[in-house]
Amino acid sequence: MARDPFALGMLSRIANVGLELLGELVAPTRCAACDEPTGARVLFCATCGVSVMPALAQPAASYAVFDYGGAVATAIVRLKYAGRFDLAARFAGVMAGTAALLADQVDLVVPVPLHPKRLVERGFDQAALLAAPVARRLGIEHAPRALVRTRPTPPQASLDRAARSANVADAFRCASARAVERRRVLLVDDVRTTGATLASCAEALLDAGAREVCSLVLASRDRPGKVQKSAGYED
Ligand SMILES: [Zn+2]
């Protein structure tokens, strides 16, 4: 019975829900943008919540939880540039809520990778921090090293729309075709700007034999026809 994959999957999901509840009990819940105390399992306080917008219309097979801006932008900058790694699991919690809608359409989670040089500089990979708990919540496999970035690319926010596509073209390759062959992949990243990075990753995965690729980000700042810039932000 215990070897039944379905039973094992159920046990894994029950264990994960238990761990999450435990995490909420031991960690007091505070606003992800300003640290004011909030109700249990609430990401933003009422004041910051005013500036939080759900994601606008989504391109096909690209999903986002929030529109980038306000408290969402503040919270993401805290994670990426202020060492607030603790926020990753909470962001992943809301991402998993969206990912649950895709649960029967995906069977592998792959984060958008940083270039090794950037990883050394930053010390952590925010997409992998988000992808691991999303995979756990869905009860599916996480392949954090399936994709590699083959060259360091300038920050997307420093470029216009056309340059962003060229910047990330062929910047990724699949490191393990065996890991992705015939799999339905959910790509995970923190922010989608033009979608060029995700498209380049999807191409590498499909070239390696993935059956389908869709993507999920915490926030989308994609505005067709308009270049979004934000000081200090890197795609
Ligand atoms: Zn707040």
Side-chain angles (χ1 to χ4, degrees):
M1 182 67 178
R3 291 188 180 175
D4 176 344
F6 178 75
L8 283 174
M10 284 301 291
L11 281 173
S12 163
R13 285 175 204 211
I14 290 166
N16 287 334
V17 168
L19 284 174
E20 277 164 24
L21 289 175
L22 188 63
E24 292 289 347
L25 288 175
V26 294
T29 307
R30 293 182 175 273
C31 174
C34 76
D35 281 339
E36 278 296 305
T38 64
R41 303 181 77 90
V42 175
L43 200 51
F44 296 105
C45 70
T47 306
C48 292
V50 171
S51 69
V52 174
M53 301 288 290
L56 303 173
Q58 312 274 325
S62 293
Y63 303 91
V65 179
F66 298 117
D67 188 34
Y68 188 85
V72 171
T74 302
I76 291 173
V77 168
R78 296 179 96 197
L79 165 68
K80 290 179 75 165
Y81 305 116
R84 291 295 303 270
F85 311 134
D86 57 301
L87 296 176
R90 297 178 61 202
F91 292 156
V94 296
M95 292 174 77
T98 300
L101 305 173
L102 307 168
D104 57 354
Q105 299 169 45
V106 294
D107 47 33
L108 182 69
V109 173
V110 174
V112 171
L114 279 180
H115 188 270
K117 186 164 166 266
R118 181 75 56 81
L119 181 58
V120 167
E121 288 166 2
R122 190 176 292 171
F124 69 100
D125 180 340
Q126 75 280 356
L129 286 180
L130 297 171
V134 166
R136 269 201 307 277
R137 281 282 290 266
L138 292 178
I140 63 176
E141 196 181 335
H142 174 218
R145 284 173 287 280
L147 280 177
V148 291
R149 202 180 279 247
T150 54
R151 55 185 169 81
T153 53
Q156 289 284 77
S158 64
L159 307 170
D160 65 22
R161 179 169 286 266
R164 285 174 180 177
S165 291
N167 185 36
V168 292
D170 300 322
F172 302 92
R173 72 175 173 81
C174 182
S176 171
R178 187 185 292 180
V180 306
E181 263 174 355
R182 295 185 294 279
R183 307 296 286 273
R184 299 170 302 169
V185 178
L186 178 64
L187 264 174
V188 168
D189 206 356
D190 57 341
V191 175
R192 182 178 71 230
T193 304
T194 61
T197 300
L198 292 163
S200 185
C201 288
E203 195 177 311
L205 289 165
L206 292 168
D207 283 350
R211 180 154 40 122
E212 293 168 13
V213 181
C214 59
S215 65
L216 172 65
V217 295
L218 181 64
S220 164
R221 56 207 305 264
D222 196 4
R223 297 287 188 287
K226 187 177 170 192
V227 173
Q228 294 288 304
K229 289 196 175 181
S230 179
Y233 184 77
E234 295 170 10
D235 200 0

